[in-house]
Amino acid sequence: PLKELEPLLPSERFMRVHRQCIVHVAHVAELAHVGGGVYVALLRGREKQEPVPVSRAVAAALRARLGLTQQPA
């Protein structure tokens, strides 16, 4: 389970963005607001982009870690 893996990962590089997902922050290319309070992260270096769900509670913290100051429209 992720709750056992999460403490083993360096928090300066990894972030839990959803109850089912942990991402390496440096690999996040974009944080997108897809409407209705739903956010997804798109990862760098992937030919086929599979959106990673981001919880509303974590979206602002991820945006700050990525250096994005503006709230997506």
Side-chain angles (χ1 to χ4, degrees), residues 7-18:
L8 303 175
L9 298 170
S11 61
E12 64 275 0
R13 289 189 279 172
F14 291 88
M15 183 174 187
R16 186 148 193 180
V17 295
H18 190 271

Side-chain angles (χ1 to χ4, degrees), residues 11-64:
S11 61
E12 64 275 0
R13 289 189 279 172
F14 291 88
M15 183 174 187
R16 186 148 193 180
V17 295
H18 190 271
R19 65 179 174 210
Q20 300 173 358
C21 301
I22 295 174
V23 297
H24 190 294
V25 176
H27 291 260
V28 177
E30 182 181 346
L31 176 63
H33 182 235
V34 293
V38 177
Y39 293 87
V40 295
L42 300 175
L43 304 180
R44 298 183 202 288
R46 306 256 339 195
E47 187 174 310
K48 180 179 182 254
Q49 288 289 337
E50 186 71 32
V52 176
V54 176
S55 74
R56 281 179 270 178
V58 175
L62 179 58
R63 192 171 28 259

